[in-house]
Amino acid sequence: MGPLAIGIDIGTSGSRAVAMHEDFSLAGSAAVPLERLGANGRDPAVWWATVEATLKELFGRIDRRAVRAIAVDGTSGTLLPVDGAGRPRAEPLMYNDKVPDDAILAAIAGTAPEASAAHGATSGLAKALWFQTIPGVHAVLHQADWIAGQFSGRFDVSDENNSLKTGYDAEARRWPDWIVKAGMRMELLPAVIRPGSVTGRLTAAAADLFGLPRDAAVVAGTTDGCASFLATGATAAGDGVTALGSSLTIKILSDRPISAPRYGIYSHRLGDAWLAGGASNSGGKVLARHFSLARIIELSAAIDTATETGFDYYPLGSAGERFPIADPTLQPRLLPRPVSDADYLKAMLEGIAAIEALGYQRLAELGAPKLTSVRSVGGGAANAAWTEIRRRKLGVDFLPALSGEAAAGTARLALVGAREAGLV
């Protein structure tokens, strides 16, 4: 069968894992929702139980003796404090939880550079500052760090992507001095290495639990967003990935970092390249306010994609936009409404496609490469009519995504680490 790399994606709804061959083809996959093993998605014990159940399902379908490396991606901005043995000292703060301490936020605002991703009440640094006062805390970790630690026994290491919102300087590749001025106890922050670097080998306990080779490597992972981009197979500067889910998110691979806090844009480092992007308040959730999924499918089949409706819609669920227009007062434009439901849906799809095109244009204006190709993920990627409308608006090649699974992107990082360690 040949050697295999394992990628694990742990998110807000559950865990997914894939096994990947050296040629990036998948040998198998498995998924387990958090609710199967516990309703509390904030409980790290539930996270780990879900990952354990997912891997046991996966390893029942593949040759586990062929596993050479494991990597984990997690929800960006989810942190927890641990003691010296990696045991949680308090309930985690999830990616969208806000730190309710104005003094902490003021300390960050007064010291962090404007372009830093550490600003804001939901940032990783705000959470780290909040956690550092807990008695017995030895380290503050990101979700992916903690899960990886269950395999390696290391609870002192993270990756460059998860650490970005905690204040890590990806350009200088170090924790910056200003974090100390913000009040952070630096000894509580993990060492940071690049995604795809080997952090250690499986502990005897982890190897025995899953029946894996004891020399299998544990490899630094990434955030769920970066993993999803890697999964598509996008590798060249100018390659874009559009996620058509409840919101519209675009990312482009760049040869330089792009930072524009006004638009919520900052760049994750991927080796010697950078991943820049932004998220609009438009997207599938706006469509869902007007039509059911079944109705969208029905109406989409009746859309003539060769013509334009002539409407200039900006589909939003309520006032306010963040990217590609930074305007908290921007009003939705969804009038006038045509008589035909099919034309109404078509005009909204055209509007979202126009926002997508403006997003890539905005990134180029800020210094990113000109868009050369697009890969699409998310539920909207399956809508053929929307795809044709977007193809016309963007005017670039639409390439198939190798995978829409974040776990597949993380498995690619595991392969990188296995190669560097000489295991494949």
Side-chain angles (χ1 to χ4, degrees):
M1 172 182 281
L4 296 174
I6 306 298
I8 300 167
D9 169 53
I10 177 72
T12 56
S13 61
S15 166
R16 189 167 185 87
V18 303
M20 182 174 283
H21 294 293
E22 285 186 272
D23 63 359
F24 305 122
S25 63
L26 299 188
S29 65
V32 172
L34 286 171
E35 62 185 22
R36 185 189 300 181
L37 296 164
N40 185 7
R42 294 175 176 272
D43 185 352
V46 174
W47 299 348
W48 175 242
T50 305
V51 169
E52 183 179 342
T54 303
L55 289 180
K56 287 183 175 178
E57 283 192 19
L58 175 63
F59 294 148
R61 301 167 185 165
I62 65 171
D63 180 6
R64 66 185 71 198
R65 297 169 299 177
V67 173
R68 296 291 179 266
I70 292 176
V72 183
D73 77 75
T75 306
S76 175
T78 294
L79 277 77
L80 71 160
V82 300
D83 64 16
R87 293 173 297 218
R89 295 294 300 166
E91 185 177 82
L93 286 173
M94 305 301 287
Y95 71 100
N96 58 349
D97 286 337
K98 295 182 178 180
V99 170
D101 190 322
D102 291 339
I104 287 177
L105 304 185
I108 295 173
T111 56
E114 181 184 359
S116 174
H119 287 283
T122 63
S123 78
L125 182 57
K127 293 164 187 170
L129 287 165
W130 176 265
F131 282 140
Q132 71 176 355
T133 60
I134 294 174
V137 64
H138 180 79
V140 180
L141 301 176
H142 308 96
Q143 184 182 43
D145 308 339
W146 188 80
I147 294 293
Q150 307 305 311
F151 296 101
S152 67
R154 291 194 64 182
F155 297 98
D156 62 349
V157 64
S158 186
D159 66 88
E160 292 182 316
N161 300 154
N162 273 294
S163 299
L164 190 68
K165 291 181 180 179
T166 313
Y168 180 76
D169 185 336
E171 293 187 58
R173 291 193 138 155
R174 64 181 180 87
W175 291 112
D177 295 337
W178 65 260
I179 292 182
V180 177
K181 297 178 183 177
M184 187 67 213
R185 292 166 53 197
M186 298 302 292
E187 71 273 15
L188 299 183
L189 293 178
V192 180
I193 60 177
R194 63 177 178 78
S197 298
V198 173
T199 64
R201 300 300 171 102
L202 290 180
T203 63
D208 292 345
L209 175 64
F210 297 110
L212 298 175
R214 292 196 176 187
D215 65 343
V218 181
V219 176
T222 184
T223 64
D224 51 355
C226 290
S228 295
F229 186 94
L230 291 170
T232 67
T235 58
D239 285 349
V241 173
T242 298
L244 299 166
S246 59
S247 60
L248 170 69
T249 303
I250 69 173
K251 295 182 184 293
I252 192 168
L253 203 61
S254 175
D255 54 359
R256 63 182 68 90
I258 308 300
S259 178
R262 178 167 177 252
Y263 298 105
I265 297 172
Y266 47 85
S267 298
H268 287 93
R269 190 165 192 159
L270 295 174
D272 293 325
W274 300 85
L275 185 57
S280 169
N281 290 336
S282 188
K285 61 186 174 185
V286 181
L287 302 178
R289 292 170 67 97
H290 300 272
F291 302 108
S292 67
L293 177 58
R295 184 64 171 154
I296 290 173
I297 294 173
E298 177 187 357
L299 293 173
S300 295
I303 288 176
D304 178 7
T305 60
T307 62
E308 293 272 353
T309 64
F311 293 106
D312 181 27
Y313 282 0
Y314 201 110
L316 294 171
S318 59
E321 176 64 305
R322 47 186 171 159
F323 175 83
I325 297 172
D327 183 355
T329 67
L330 186 69
Q331 296 296 314
R333 289 202 308 270
L334 289 167
L335 294 173
R337 190 193 195 288
V339 174
S340 163
D341 280 352
D343 284 344
Y344 190 42
L345 174 62
K346 180 180 177 180
M348 284 194 281
L349 296 179
E350 290 173 346
I352 299 174
I355 295 171
E356 180 185 3
L358 181 59
Y360 283 114
Q361 177 185 326
R362 183 77 72 219
L363 288 169
E365 291 170 353
L366 293 168
K370 183 179 179 181
L371 182 69
T372 57
S373 69
V374 167
R375 293 167 172 84
S376 306
V377 297
N383 188 312
W386 198 357
T387 298
E388 287 306 310
I389 290 170
R390 294 172 53 229
R391 194 192 308 272
R392 187 172 65 247
K393 293 281 187 186
L394 293 174
V396 298
D397 290 337
F398 273 50
L399 303 178
L402 295 183
S403 175
E405 297 287 350
T410 310
R412 284 175 166 259
L413 292 176
L415 273 177
V416 170
R419 287 169 179 160
E420 289 187 357
L423 296 173
V424 296

